[in-house]
Amino acid sequence: MFKACGPVNGLLDGDSAREVFLKSKLPVEKLSQIWGLADTKVRGSLDLADFTIAMFYIQRTMDGSITALPTSLPPSVLKAASGPTAGTGLLSSPVLSAQTLARQVTGGGMGIHNPAIA
């Protein structure tokens, strides 16, 4: 999914990420919180590990597994997303898969107020 979004030099710009995030139809406030957790280097763009973190939280929020997002990124989530095979730790878990996201992250758009999402 990350590659399909057209990252440049390994980074997905905020506008491209916003398009994917909005398809989840989650509230703008939730998506902004997720961006805050996922943009680990605070650069307004996402690498594969950051994108994986965002998709993990989007999926878990959509399926109700997470009702309240953490205020800071748990080290275990960062480690799973950026391990030796960056991005595959969370994606290969039964909780989140590319097929699940492709199936559930669909729909129309809405505006988001966040430096990288807005």
Side-chain angles (χ1 to χ4, degrees), residues 24 26 34 52-66 94-97 99-105:
S24 72
L26 290 174
I34 290 169
T52 301
I53 291 166
M55 292 293 97
F56 171 76
Y57 280 114
I58 288 171
Q59 175 60 37
R60 298 288 303 241
T61 301
M62 288 173 63
D63 71 14
S65 302
I66 293 177
V95 173
L96 178 68
S97 71
Q99 292 157 336
T100 301
L101 287 172
R103 191 172 56 245
Q104 292 190 9
V105 181

Side-chain angles (χ1 to χ4, degrees), residues 49-95:
D50 294 340
F51 184 81
T52 301
I53 291 166
M55 292 293 97
F56 171 76
Y57 280 114
I58 288 171
Q59 175 60 37
R60 298 288 303 241
T61 301
M62 288 173 63
D63 71 14
S65 302
I66 293 177
T67 55
L69 293 166
T71 55
S72 62
L73 186 65
S76 60
V77 173
L78 179 59
K79 182 179 179 182
S82 58
T85 53
T88 60
L90 292 173
L91 287 175
S92 62
S93 78
V95 173

